[in-house]
Amino acid sequence: MSQIDSTALTEQDARDGIEQQVVGAVICHAGKFLVLQRPTTDFRGGTWELPSGKVEQGEDLLAALHREVAEETGLKIEEVSEYLGAFEYLSGSGKRTRQHTWLVTTTSHEDVTLTEHDAHAWSTDASEYPVSSEVQTLIAKAMKTTAS
C-alpha cells in the first residue's frame, strides 16, 4: 500500500504554482471500476471520468476525496488503499489544475446516486468508455494493484 501525506502534496502543489487542486477516486468492486459521464453542457461534456472534484479552500485532500465521492455518487468510502498519482490540466476557467487520485473501496456499490453526471457504468476495460489517457493510466494502475 502506497500512503502519501496529503499535506505534503498540497505544499508541493503550492510550490509548483498549481492554482486549483482536484481529487479523484478509482472505486473498485469485484474487478470493476466506476466511471461517470459528464453532462453534455459541461466543460469536456459527454466524456467519461472518475468521481472527482475541486478541493475547497483550506480543505484536506482526503477530506475532499470523501466529500466528492459522496456528493457525486452517493457512496461512502470504506477504505482509501493507495495513492495512484496525479496529472495536470487547464480547467475550463483557465486555472492550472492538478488532480490527485486514490484507489478506494466503498461500503456499497449498488446504490450509485448521480447528482452531477448523466450516467455511470461499472467496467473492466478503460478503453470501453472514452476517458482521457491520464485516467486510463490511473485505472490500469488500480486494476493491476487490485489483481495482485
Side-chain angles (χ1 to χ4, degrees), residues 49-69:
E49 65 183 359
L50 300 170
S52 58
K54 296 176 191 173
V55 177
E56 295 175 359
Q57 184 71 29
E59 186 178 30
D60 175 76
L61 293 176
L62 293 175
L65 181 68
H66 283 265
R67 178 183 52 75
E68 284 294 339
V69 167

Side-chain angles (χ1 to χ4, degrees), residues 17-20 43 54 89-97:
I18 296 299
E19 299 169 277
Q20 181 172 277
F43 174 64
K54 296 176 191 173
Y89 61 93
L90 286 180
S91 71
S93 61
K95 290 182 180 176
R96 187 170 170 212
T97 302

Side-chain angles (χ1 to χ4, degrees), residues 26-141:
V26 177
I27 301 172
C28 289
H29 177 76
K32 294 183 179 184
F33 58 88
L34 181 65
V35 289
L36 309 174
Q37 187 177 35
R38 294 183 69 84
T40 54
T41 56
D42 249 3
F43 174 64
R44 295 194 284 187
T47 60
W48 291 79
E49 65 183 359
L50 300 170
S52 58
K54 296 176 191 173
V55 177
E56 295 175 359
Q57 184 71 29
E59 186 178 30
D60 175 76
L61 293 176
L62 293 175
L65 181 68
H66 283 265
R67 178 183 52 75
E68 284 294 339
V69 167
E71 285 178 3
E72 292 194 355
T73 68
L75 301 175
K76 183 177 177 186
I77 292 177
E78 181 175 50
E79 179 184 11
V80 177
S81 56
E82 182 168 345
Y83 179 72
L84 297 170
F87 62 90
E88 291 182 31
Y89 61 93
L90 286 180
S91 71
S93 61
K95 290 182 180 176
R96 187 170 170 212
T97 302
R98 184 173 288 160
Q99 179 173 319
H100 296 282
T101 303
W102 283 266
L103 173 61
V104 306
T105 55
T106 55
T107 55
S108 170
H109 69 283
E110 297 171 356
D111 302 323
V112 176
T113 304
L114 300 179
T115 58
E116 300 174 16
H117 294 82
D118 287 344
H120 78 280
W122 290 95
S123 181
T124 58
D125 181 0
S127 65
E128 186 176 5
Y129 296 91
V131 297
S132 69
S133 60
E134 295 89 354
V135 169
Q136 281 186 355
T137 299
L138 293 167
I139 290 170
K141 185 175 181 181

